Amino acid sequence: MPLSPTDIEALGARAEQMVNALGTISAEPDRLVRLFLTPEHRRAADRVADWMRAAGLVVSEDALGTVRGRLTGTGPKRLLIGSHIDSVIDAGKYDGPFGVIAGILAAEHFSRSGRKLSFGLDVLAFGDEEGSRFPTTLASSSACAGAFRGETLALADRDGVTLGAAITAYGKSVEDIPAAAYAPGEAAAYVEVHIEQGPVLEVRKEPLGVVTAIIGQTYLNVAFAGEAGHAGTVPMALRRDALAGASEAVLLGESLARATQGEVVATVGRITVAPGATNVIPAQVVAIFDIRAADEAARARLAGELRDGIHAIAQRRHLGVTITSTREVATTPCHPLVQDQLAAAIRRVGGEGLRLGSGAGHDGQAMAKLCPIGMLFVRCRGGISHNPLEYADPRDLGLAVAALIEFIERFDPEKLG
Ligand code: GLV
Ligand code: MN
Ligand code: MN
């Protein structure tokens, strides 16, 4: 039986309540900070697991802390529905959690109906989509996809704790990472519901949209080495100031990206400066460049030009420089058939089924190594995201859950081969 407007409204109200509840779980009292494998991640994962159990799902957790709520079907294949519960620093409440909550509410709809689907449903709550703690990302979804990169275990957070050590401190074992992977052929598809994080749906007055592809990203970790000295005594011409070199590099990244007229975007959102005293010339600076473009060649070209330009800056300023890349995520198309099925589901709840690209990264980029993927976007106010002002109307949240239910209702694993 189709969902009534009252049912959809009730789903939206519940989704909002759950988003707000997870939004209170933070490392800091005045802003949302929930990083991978921290006590806050633990508390959020426990809350999600409770919701999954209450929805009638069987809950387990893998070596990367991914919470999995399972509903069995009559056949061996599974439809995976997921998103993430980690956050950026000073985050909004919707980015990630809403996708997990949408999955739980949709799965609950089927578990309560008592009717078995011909396929199983797994709701996945990943812990590492933002990459805010370690200089790597998508570790948890990569493990589920059987594509976890062992070398990332040695990467350290700002306090020098490696990913491997953090997994152990979280009560897990790196030996168990391979067991997180789905068996080949078991996963029929991965679908994620997420706020758009951009303005397109709002401008088009559409509550929901279908993602065509998820943009690729390259990170360049640039470490400049200069010489510390007294801020009052060393003449300007004799300084080897690592921060001044990094500042030139930041502006170079901006101008190279601007010159592409929107094809490539480049951001430096974090710089560390050592020794970090007001009266000492900066000796060591690390700047992380986040470079994104849907076109792989355009992104590689800009990264190459930036590397060359940074080496030239370092040479002119007599600075040492090392450039490493710890994050390289390919542009990932969503499966055409999954896109069509999501568009049909959106139309059934009254939307147009508009298609749009994703400029943000998502767990689907790792899950695409396992199975066909698709994404459903939800309008968010002003397109604002990665900002505590992030907001989505509960009516739109309700429509998104309803569209997901419609999608599941008609999903046929055999059609995807
Ligand atoms: C995650 O939100 C990203 O796009 O970096
Ligand atoms: Mn996200
Ligand atoms: Mn995000």
Side-chain angles (χ1 to χ4, degrees):
M1 211 175 62
L3 293 163
S4 70
T6 318
D7 294 334
I8 296 175
E9 202 182 311
L11 283 170
R14 279 186 68 200
E16 184 180 55
Q17 211 178 23
M18 292 160 86
V19 164
N20 287 338
L22 268 194
T24 63
I25 303 177
S26 171
E28 299 182 21
D30 298 325
R31 58 181 194 165
L32 177 53
V33 183
R34 200 167 54 235
L35 305 186
F36 186 34
L37 302 174
T38 57
E40 300 70 54
H41 180 190
R42 176 72 272 148
R43 281 162 52 215
D46 289 343
R47 183 72 63 93
V48 163
D50 286 345
W51 288 336
M52 286 175 171
R53 277 186 215 97
L57 311 182
V58 175
V59 178
S60 61
E61 206 178 87
D62 69 25
L64 275 294
T66 299
V67 188
R68 198 176 309 220
R70 177 162 281 192
L71 190 66
T72 49
T74 57
K77 298 241 180 172
R78 337 202 117 259
L79 171 62
L80 316 182
I81 302 169
S83 197
H84 59 99
I85 55 172
D86 63 324
S87 82
V88 293
I89 293 163
D90 202 7
K93 295 179 286 199
Y94 297 80
D95 174 2
F98 175 58
V100 174
I101 289 162
I104 294 172
L105 292 175
E108 182 189 77
H109 172 88
F110 292 98
S111 83
R112 292 261 159 91
S113 78
R115 174 174 61 91
K116 277 216 171 190
L117 293 163
S118 65
F119 50 89
L121 275 184
D122 276 9
V123 181
L124 300 164
F126 300 117
D128 179 37
E129 188 260 9
E130 300 293 3
S132 299
R133 179 169 177 192
F134 298 98
T136 177
T137 188
L138 306 181
S140 29
S141 39
S142 295
C144 285
F148 181 83
R149 291 181 302 127
E151 66 272 20
T152 59
L153 290 170
L155 296 173
D157 69 6
R158 279 191 254 201
D159 298 323
V161 179
T162 63
L163 173 57
I167 290 170
T168 309
Y170 200 69
K172 308 288 181 186
S173 165
V174 296
E175 312 292 319
D176 294 333
I177 294 174
Y182 281 89
E186 185 184 6
Y190 169 81
V191 170
E192 178 164 352
V193 177
H194 203 287
I195 56 162
E196 182 201 335
Q197 308 182 272
V200 176
L201 292 172
E202 191 174 69
V203 168
R204 297 286 298 270
K205 298 192 172 20
E206 278 294 308
L208 308 175
V210 179
V211 177
T212 50
I214 311 170
I215 204 169
Q217 54 179 278
T218 299
Y219 267 37
L220 295 183
N221 298 43
V222 181
F224 282 99
E227 189 172 31
H230 196 294
T233 61
V234 183
M236 294 309 286
L238 299 182
R239 295 182 179 206
R240 293 171 55 229
D241 182 332
L243 182 56
S247 305
E248 258 197 69
V250 171
L251 293 177
L252 174 66
E254 184 191 47
S255 69
L256 288 173
R258 275 176 187 250
T260 68
Q261 317 254 3
E263 189 171 36
V264 188
V265 289
T267 309
V268 176
R270 188 198 292 177
I271 287 196
T272 51
V273 180
T278 55
N279 57 355
V280 181
I281 297 163
Q284 308 288 339
V285 170
V286 178
I288 303 179
F289 288 77
D290 175 318
I291 303 164
R292 305 195 190 202
D295 185 87
E296 302 284 345
R299 196 171 74 250
R301 196 162 46 242
L302 189 135
E305 287 167 3
L306 185 57
R307 279 176 184 270
D308 291 348
I310 288 172
H311 282 295
I313 291 167
Q315 199 170 28
R316 178 164 36 79
R317 288 178 167 274
H318 306 291
L319 299 170
V321 71
T322 54
I323 306 178
T324 50
S325 181
T326 51
R327 200 182 291 191
E328 184 69 46
V329 185
T331 294
T332 309
C334 293
H335 193 283
L337 198 58
V338 180
Q339 285 186 48
D340 290 347
Q341 291 169 355
L342 285 169
I346 290 174
R347 286 194 291 272
R348 278 194 292 276
V349 299
E352 201 182 279
L354 188 103
R355 315 239 174 173
L356 71 170
S358 172
H362 296 288
D363 286 297
Q365 289 171 291
M367 297 306 277
K369 296 182 178 142
L370 172 74
C371 60
I373 66 149
M375 285 195 80
L376 189 150
F377 267 178
V378 187
R379 167 169 65 188
C380 62
R381 188 172 60 195
I384 295 170
S385 186
H386 285 189
N387 181 322
L389 294 177
E390 196 173 87
Y391 177 77
D393 191 302
R395 283 168 299 193
D396 293 353
L397 302 183
L399 283 172
V401 179
L404 182 60
I405 290 171
E406 291 285 347
F407 170 83
I408 297 168
E409 190 79 58
R410 285 160 186 81
F411 183 73
D412 179 357
E414 301 314 321
K415 283 205 181 133
L416 287 166

